[in-house]
Amino acid sequence: MRGPWWRRCVTVLLVGLVWWGGWPARADGAGAPVPVDCHTRQLTEASTDVELRLENHARSVAEASGLMKVRVPSSWPYANDLLLSESSEPYRRALRCLLRAPDTMKRPEEWRTHSPRVKAEASWVEVGYETQFRFNNGGRFNVGPWMMDVHTKQWSFSLAPPPALNGARWDHVRIDLGGLAASRVAPRPSKADSGHLEWTALGQPRTGGPMVTVDVLPPWQRAWAATSGSSEPWLVANAAGMTTWWVGSSIVIVAAALRARRQPAGPALTEPENSSSTDLWWWGVLKALLGVMVLLLYKAMLTITEAVSDDPPAWLGYSMRWPVLIGVVAGWLLVVSARPRKSVVVAASLVAAAAALVAATPSLFGLPPQLATATGPSDGGLAVLMAMAAAMQWLWLAGVVLWAWMLAHGGGLLRPAATPPRLRRLGPALAVVVLLLLGWAVWSLERKWQRVSWLADHTVAAYHVQHVASLARDMASFASQVPAWYYTHTWVLTGIAIVALLRARDLAPAVPYASPTPLDRLLLAVFFAVVVAWRQGSYAGSQALAALWLVLAIAALYGLLAVGQRRSVLTQHLEGCAGSPQLCETITEAERNDLITRARRHRELTTALRTIDQAGGEATLKRHAIEKELSRLHRWRPARGTDGAARPWLPAQVTVIDVALSWGPHAKWWDNARRAAVLAAAFGIPGSILMVWMAYSPPAEWMRRGLYMFGASEMVWLFVYWELVWAGAGLVLGALWRLLPGRRGPARALSLTIAYTLLIALGLIGNLITDQEIGNVAVGISLMLLVLTLTSLAMDADTFRSERRFWPNRVGLLLSIYQIRSFSAQVAYILMQLIAVLTVLKFFAGADGRWK
C-alpha cells in the first residue's frame, strides 16, 4: 500500500471498524432465548456458602465484595460443562443455572476481577464466584446472589438465590457490615459480633421472599456519595461548583490581562505583550463561556425550564442528544476563536454541521429521538453514532491544539517565523489521533458489554440486537462526554497563556526589574493554583467547594512571598549608613559577573583560612591578611555616581556567596524560571512514572480503567499531568528564586514545598470529616520535595557554571560551593528524602495498603 503513513493508518483503522461493526453474531435461533432445563431436582444435594463484606471507612464511595461457593454433585448433567472453556456455550449455560435468575442476566453494576474459579473433586464440582459493587448510584441492583437496594436514608441487602438452587442447602451466610449500623435483620442470625453476622444451616430457601435481609443506616457521607450521581439536584450543584472554579479562574486571568496592557514591563507596551495579553483576555472570556455551556447548561437547562414552565419541550429531556448539540457548538466555537486558516474554519464547520445534523435530526439516519434506546438501532445507525463521536473528538482536539499554538506563538514561545497549522497537515494528523481514541473507546465498550452479558446466550438473534443497542447507547454517551473531558483538561491552555505573557514581558527592552513585578507575581500565583497545586477531589460526592481551592492556592503563594519579603537574602538591607537599600536594589544584571568573581574569591579565602586553622599558630600574619580581604569583600560597592560615599556592608549573617546563590544562575529572573522548569521536568520523570504506576497498580483500578472509554487517554494524560506539575513547580521556583526565603537552593525548594503541602493539609481536613481515603498525597509531597531539591542543587551549581571546566563533575563543584560540611548535610538531606519516599511506598504497597 503506497501513500503517506497517515493514510495507511486511517485506512487500516477504518477497515477494522467497518469489519467489526458489520460482523453479525452467530444466530442459531431467533427471538428470545429458550428456557433451559437446569435439572433442579438433581441440585438438591448441592450446598452453598455466601459471604458479603462491606468496606465503608476511609473511602469516598462504599464498596462491597462478595463470594459465593456452590458445590454441585458430579451427577448433575451440567457438572462437566463447568470444566470447559469460558467462551463455550455449555459452560455459560451451566453457570446461568447456578448464578442467575432468568431476568437478571445482564448486570452493569456487577464487577469481577476474574472469572469464577472451578475446582473438581471425585464426587463434587465447586464454583467460586467473586463479585464487587460500588455504592455510587441509587437504585436496585443485582450483584451475585444479592439484591442491593440503595437509597439516601437506608441500604438493604437481600439474599435472593437463583431458582435452580431453591432446593439446595445453604450452609453458611456471613455478612461483615464494615462498621455500618443495622436497622433490621431477618431472620435472626446464628451468631453476631460487632457487625459480623452469620447464619448457619439455613436449609432450603423460602418461596416468595429472600432468605436473608439486612437493612443498614449509611453515614451521611456515604449516603450523599451514593446518590449524588443519580440525583438531579446534586448533579446541578456539582456542575455549579465546578463551573464556579473555572469561571473564577477566568475572572482572575482576564483582570491580569487587562492590567498587563496598562502596566507594561518596559517603558511602552510591546507587540508580544499586546498579543499575549489579548490572547489571555480572550481565552479567559472563552473559558468562562465554555464552562457554563459544557459543565452547567446541559445539566441545569431541564431543571430551569421545569421551574419556569409547566410543559417543557420533550427534547430537553433527552439526556444525550442535548449535551451533544451543546458540545458541537462549543467545539466549533473553540476552533474558530483560535483564528485559524480559512481552510481549517471550513473543515471545522463541515464537521460540526455533520455532527449537529445527526443530533438534531436523528430520524434522517434511522436513529430514535434519544439517539439510542434499549431496542437499539441497526448496524448502520451504530456506524453513524461512531462518526458523530469521531466528529466531536476532532472538533475539540483541533480547538485545543489551535489555541495552544496561538497562545504560545503570541507570547514568543515559538519561532517568530512560525505559521498557523495548515489543514493538509493538521487535519490528517488529528484524524489519526481521533481514530486511535475512537478505536480504544469501541474496544473498551465491547469489553464492557462482555462484562455485563458474559452469561447471556450468544446463540440467539436477540443477543446481537441487544449487543448493538448497548454499544449504541454507550457510543452516544461517549459523544456527550467528550466536551466535558476535553474542557476539564484545558487548564493546560491557561498555563500556556500565563507563561506566554510572562515571556512576552521578559522580551520587553530595558526591563529594569531584577525580580518579578507585582503583576508577574499575580500571574505566577494563578499559574501555581491552576498548574501546580494539588487538585482536591470531591467531598461526599460533592464538588460544590471546588472554587475555594483556587482562592486558597493563590493565597498560599502570596503567603510564601510575604515570608520571603522578611527572610530572603536579597530583601535584607545593607548596613553601615542611614536609609540603606535592599540588596536586590543594589545589584544590576550587568554587574552579575563581578558578583560571581567576588563570590569565588570568598570561597578561596575561606578554604585558605580553614587550612591555616589546621596548621596552628604559625601563620598568624597570613590569617590576618585573609581576614582583612574577607572584610573588604563583605563591604558593598557604592552605586555609580556616588564616588566618595560611605561603603555599606552586608548583614552579619549574609556572605557574598549567599548573595550570588540568591541571584541565581542567570541575569534575568525569567531565564532562571525557564532553566528550573527544564531541570524539574527532567528530574520528575521517574516520579511521573511512579505516580502512574501507583494509580493503575491495584487490580480493581486497572480493571475499571481498562473498561473506561477514556482509559487510554487518561493513562497517557496522567503521565503528562505530573510532568507539567514538576515543570510548573520548577518554573515558579526559578521565577521567585530571588524572593524565596533561604540562603541555599534546598531551603528555597523546601519553602515552596511547604506552601504546596499546606494546601494538601487543608484538603485532608475535608477528607477526615467525610471519612474519605487520604490517597497518594504523602508520596506526592515527598516527590515534590525531592524534585525541587534536586532542581535547586542544579541551580546552585549552574550559578558558578563558569568554573565547571575546573571540576570533574557537578558534585565536585557543589562540594566547593557549599564547603565540605555544608555539602555533607545536603547529601544527608537528599538521602533522607529518598528514604522517606521508599518508606511511604513500602507502607502503601504492603498487604494492608491501598492505592487511590
Side-chain angles (χ1 to χ4, degrees), residues 31-361:
V34 179
V36 177
D37 183 8
C38 291
H39 303 281
T40 55
R41 292 185 179 180
Q42 300 183 32
L43 290 175
T44 55
E45 300 180 7
S47 61
T48 305
D49 292 346
V50 177
E51 295 182 6
L52 180 65
R53 183 174 64 255
L54 304 180
E55 297 179 1
N56 167 56
H57 293 297
R59 62 194 62 243
S60 56
V61 176
E63 299 180 12
S65 57
L67 173 61
M68 177 182 179
K69 291 184 178 180
V70 183
R71 290 168 57 91
V72 299
S74 300
S75 58
W76 185 48
Y78 300 149
N80 292 334
D81 295 341
L82 296 171
L83 307 177
L84 299 178
S85 169
E86 298 177 4
S87 60
S88 64
E89 182 55 36
Y91 171 85
R92 289 194 291 265
R93 177 187 60 193
L95 285 183
R96 283 198 296 270
C97 289
L98 298 179
L99 305 179
R100 291 285 193 270
D103 57 342
T104 63
M105 288 298 171
K106 289 181 280 296
R107 299 182 175 184
E109 288 76 20
E110 180 182 280
W111 293 82
R112 296 171 293 109
T113 56
H114 53 78
S115 300
R117 292 188 169 94
V118 180
K119 181 172 63 176
E121 300 178 4
S123 57
W124 297 91
V125 177
E126 182 180 279
V127 177
Y129 177 37
E130 298 182 27
T131 57
Q132 294 181 355
F133 175 74
R134 291 169 59 89
F135 293 84
N136 56 358
N137 280 296
R140 179 171 294 183
F141 314 102
N142 291 99
V143 181
W146 298 93
M147 172 72 74
M148 307 286 190
D149 202 357
V150 180
H151 297 284
T152 304
K153 298 182 179 180
Q154 180 174 284
W155 297 348
S156 179
F157 315 118
S158 301
L159 180 60
L165 295 180
N166 280 333
R169 301 191 313 275
W170 292 73
D171 296 335
H172 295 89
V173 176
R174 304 178 185 87
I175 298 180
D176 180 1
L177 296 180
L180 296 176
S183 60
R184 185 174 73 94
V185 177
R188 185 178 185 274
S190 305
K191 184 187 300 184
D193 181 17
S194 302
H196 296 75
L197 310 178
E198 182 176 353
W199 292 262
T200 57
L202 284 174
Q204 297 179 349
R206 298 175 299 170
T207 58
M211 295 185 62
V212 172
T213 300
V214 177
D215 295 340
V216 298
L217 300 175
W220 64 270
Q221 303 97 322
R222 303 293 89 80
W224 284 8
T227 56
S228 61
S230 55
S231 174
E232 187 69 24
W234 277 113
L235 289 174
V236 175
N238 291 343
M242 294 177 61
T243 305
T244 304
W245 190 95
W246 290 96
V247 173
S249 62
S250 295
I251 293 174
V252 177
I253 62 176
V254 166
L258 294 176
R259 186 176 170 186
R261 297 176 65 86
R262 297 192 302 267
Q263 301 176 6
L269 187 69
T270 63
E271 179 58 31
E273 285 182 285
N274 180 55
S275 176
S276 58
S277 60
T278 301
D279 292 342
L280 180 61
W281 186 90
W282 275 110
W283 170 243
V285 174
L286 178 64
K287 186 165 69 72
L289 177 61
L290 294 179
V292 173
M293 294 176 63
V294 173
L295 299 179
L296 181 63
L297 186 58
Y298 78 90
K299 291 184 178 180
M301 179 59 71
L302 181 60
T303 302
I304 295 173
T305 307
E306 290 177 345
V308 300
S309 175
D310 296 333
D311 188 19
W315 57 270
L316 280 176
Y318 299 149
S319 59
M320 291 179 291
R321 182 176 168 188
W322 176 238
V324 167
L325 286 171
I326 293 179
V328 169
V329 175
W332 178 83
L333 183 61
L334 185 66
V335 172
V336 298
S337 61
R339 300 193 297 272
R341 296 176 181 270
K342 291 183 179 180
S343 57
V344 177
V345 174
V346 172
S349 300
L350 292 176
V351 171
L357 184 63
V358 175
T361 58

Side-chain angles (χ1 to χ4, degrees), residues 425-436:
R425 294 182 179 178
L426 177 66
L430 295 182
V432 171
V433 176
V434 166
L435 286 177
L436 290 174

Side-chain angles (χ1 to χ4, degrees), residues 204 487 500 528 693 852:
Q204 297 179 349
Y487 182 77
F528 177 80
W693 175 79
K852 285 299 288 182

Side-chain angles (χ1 to χ4, degrees), residues 446-486:
E446 174 65 18
R447 291 189 63 199
K448 175 188 174 183
W449 166 255
Q450 296 299 332
R451 173 184 67 85
V452 170
S453 64
W454 67 291
L455 285 184
D457 190 349
H458 296 191
T459 63
V460 297
Y463 174 81
H464 180 67
V465 175
Q466 296 168 357
H467 186 187
V468 174
S470 175
L471 293 178
R473 290 195 303 271
D474 290 336
M475 187 55 61
S477 176
F478 173 68
S480 67
Q481 295 178 41
V482 165
W485 190 89
Y486 274 94

